[in-house]
Amino acid sequence: MTPEDPEEIPLLLRPGGSAPRGRHLFLAAFAASLGSLSFGFALGYSSPAIPSLRRSAAPAPRLDDSTASWFGAVLTLGAAAGGVLGGWLVDRAGRKLSLMLCTAPFVAGFSLITAAKDVWMLLGGRLLTGLACGVSSLVAPVYISEIAYPAIRGLLGAFVQLMVVTGILFAYLAGWVLEWHWLAVLGCGPPTLMLLLMWCMPETPRFLLSQHKLLEARSAMCFLWGSEADWEEPPIGAEYQQLSGINAIMFYTETIFEEAKFKNSNLASVIVGAIQVLFTGIAALIMDRAGRRLLLILSGMVMVFSTSAFGTYFKLTQSGSGNSSHVNLSASVSAEPMDAGVGLAWLAVGSVCLFIAGFALGWGPIPWLLMSEIFPLHIKGMATGVCVLTNWLMAFLVTKEFSTLMEALRPCGTFWLASGFCICSVLFTWFCVPETKGKTLEQITAHFEGR
């Protein structure tokens, strides 16, 4: 009998009777989701840090257009590598230890950025924080889905994305008052707190069962649920998330609003972050009632409309400014109002806010939740690793080539292209994505195996 043999592992059902909402379960979910908070902070860090690094004076490092693009994009390369590493770690070291280990590259990366004397140190720090992001983006949803019972798995699963967007908003707010190096110092806090809290949390019962540690699994269940679960003998599309353009928008929020001639782009970034937190919280509350498929379809339709409207805004404003296809994403905000742009500035702001709300309602939290739900235990590490690798490679492609697309297709064409991918996401969900609400992980596995 080996840990990899799925037919030998007892099935874990919901707790007997009315499922208790033990405080230990929510504390464990909170501890794991601090990795997601750190992940969100690292994502949001570049938006206030890039303008700060553009205006920094010697001997501090300074970013130009090319290095600013790499500063935003290199994190996604590190995260792609982290997805592969996380897929290997989660099956061998376990869920708990994997989360604790990703503290090291988070703290090392932000420390390297803080001490940076040149651009290469900045990029190295971003690469390390990206590695940690890749590991935490894989392990945190798996840990939380395996400790939750069906009635609240959607709520706790969406909590992962809620902490990501809270981390992004935290970075935006802190970037208002802190320069890039102090902002990096602040980034060391959440992963350090995660390490301390996870030290006191148990491994997931399902992983312990896969290792045939039944006594430890029962102890973990008692800690998390306040009672032992019933036992039963076993019976004999993530790339669309990135192709919507979400990471490009989050990395370059301030720059996009500058391009839209919105005078206070920093305030606009904070508003966007707050909207994302609000609607992710709403998604968490309704997910176990509305279901995953409905929210994904609704989310995709909202993103189709909003990206189309944002592209239309750029088309209307550029039609009066000549036929040049050149777009300078780092252009400063004009103090004088533009005839066409000032009247439509709120269309730009409204479109982005609607896009963020739509994304947060479905395509933000649900792909990570589904990834942790649909794969059987014996291949979860490898399969989720492939998903995270694909997700982050697409994120790198979108983030790194965002400026190129804005020049080649002009801003209107870029956002209309994103709208096309959002249409594909709706069709994919309609025809290919099953509903998983209210089902145990074992029932979901049985569905895909045709049992």
Side-chain angles (χ1 to χ4, degrees):
M1 185 166 62
T2 64
E4 287 76 18
D5 185 359
E7 299 301 325
E8 303 265 354
I9 300 170
L11 294 189
L12 183 62
L13 306 179
R14 71 187 70 199
S18 58
R21 294 185 174 228
R23 65 182 185 274
H24 289 161
L25 173 61
F26 289 92
L27 179 60
F30 173 76
S33 64
L34 284 173
S36 301
L37 182 72
S38 307
F39 162 25
F41 189 91
L43 284 180
Y45 175 82
S46 63
S47 186
I50 287 175
S52 178
L53 284 162
R54 285 184 185 278
R55 60 177 180 264
S56 63
R62 187 170 186 172
L63 297 180
D64 55 25
D65 287 348
S66 176
T67 52
S69 174
W70 275 106
F71 187 78
V74 74
L75 178 139
T76 59
L77 281 182
V84 177
L85 176 62
W88 181 83
L89 272 177
V90 77
D91 279 339
R92 287 159 180 80
R95 285 62 162 143
K96 173 184 173 178
L97 184 57
S98 297
L99 278 172
M100 294 174 68
L101 288 175
C102 76
T103 300
F106 267 130
V107 173
F110 279 121
S111 299
L112 188 59
I113 291 173
T114 302
K117 302 299 181 185
D118 54 44
V119 171
W120 289 107
M121 290 181 71
L122 289 175
L123 296 181
R126 288 287 282 173
L127 193 66
L128 281 173
T129 55
L131 183 73
C133 285
V135 175
S136 64
S137 67
L138 184 152
V139 182
V142 171
Y143 182 89
I144 290 175
S145 72
E146 290 188 2
I147 65 172
Y149 40 86
I152 62 167
R153 195 173 61 242
L155 170 67
L156 293 183
F159 192 60
V160 171
Q161 181 67 11
L162 180 61
M163 292 294 273
V164 171
V165 298
T166 300
I168 292 172
L169 177 60
F170 183 34
Y172 289 170
L173 288 171
W176 233 351
V177 295
L178 298 176
E179 290 296 317
W180 61 272
H181 50 284
W182 286 112
L183 196 59
V185 171
L186 188 62
C188 296
T192 303
L193 180 59
M194 178 185 70
L195 176 65
L196 296 175
L197 287 179
M198 285 303 300
W199 183 269
C200 304
M201 297 299 114
E203 180 57 85
T204 73
R206 284 182 172 87
F207 179 76
L208 292 171
L209 288 175
S210 74
Q211 304 299 305
H212 307 291
K213 299 178 179 179
L214 269 62
L215 291 179
E216 292 180 38
R218 289 184 184 276
S219 175
M221 282 184 289
C222 287
F223 177 88
L224 293 167
W225 294 347
S227 64
E228 292 183 7
D230 296 327
W231 300 84
E232 181 180 279
E233 289 302 315
I236 311 287
E239 65 274 11
Y240 286 120
Q241 187 187 49
Q242 297 299 338
L243 290 174
S244 67
I246 181 62
N247 266 3
I249 288 177
M250 298 316 297
F251 279 131
Y252 301 115
T253 304
E254 291 187 22
T255 308
I256 287 172
F257 278 110
E258 288 177 4
E259 184 62 33
K261 303 299 182 286
F262 189 77
K263 290 185 178 180
N264 194 339
S265 59
N266 195 297
L267 174 61
S269 296
V270 172
I271 292 172
V272 164
I275 289 173
Q276 196 169 21
V277 170
L278 173 64
F279 279 88
T280 303
I282 292 173
L285 293 175
I286 67 175
M287 191 177 300
D288 285 314
R289 292 190 290 272
R292 283 60 154 160
R293 289 184 79 252
L294 176 61
L295 289 180
L296 282 175
I297 292 171
L298 177 62
S299 171
M301 293 172 65
V302 171
M303 292 193 296
V304 169
F305 175 79
S306 56
T307 49
S308 298
F310 201 34
T312 301
Y313 161 80
F314 280 116
K315 181 66 174 177
L316 292 174
T317 54
Q318 288 175 358
S319 62
S321 58
N323 295 321
S324 171
S325 62
H326 177 70
V327 176
N328 182 9
L329 280 175
S330 62
S332 59
V333 183
S334 173
E336 298 297 324
M338 295 182 63
D339 293 340
V342 73
L344 292 171
W346 284 104
L347 174 61
V349 176
S351 298
V352 171
C353 289
L354 185 61
F355 173 85
I356 293 298
F359 180 83
L361 199 61
W363 278 95
I366 294 177
W368 299 108
L369 174 61
L370 285 176
M371 177 190 73
S372 65
E373 288 181 324
I374 64 176
F375 296 119
L377 199 64
H378 62 289
I379 63 163
K380 184 166 285 188
M382 179 186 68
T384 52
V386 170
C387 288
V388 172
L389 174 64
T390 303
N391 186 286
W392 283 110
L393 285 178
M394 298 306 296
F396 170 75
L397 180 65
V398 171
T399 306
K400 184 67 181 71
E401 298 305 320
F402 179 67
S403 300
T404 304
L405 282 173
M406 293 281 275
E407 290 189 11
L409 301 179
R410 306 179 70 173
C412 59
T414 301
F415 285 98
W416 286 339
L417 177 63
S419 180
F421 282 119
C422 291
I423 292 173
C424 293
S425 75
V426 173
L427 296 176
F428 176 81
T429 302
W430 184 270
F431 290 107
C432 301
V433 177
E435 183 55 72
T436 62
K437 74 169 182 176
K439 298 179 180 178
T440 66
L441 297 184
E442 289 76 18
Q443 289 169 338
I444 296 169
T445 298
H447 167 80
F448 282 101
E449 292 178 351
R451 295 193 266 115

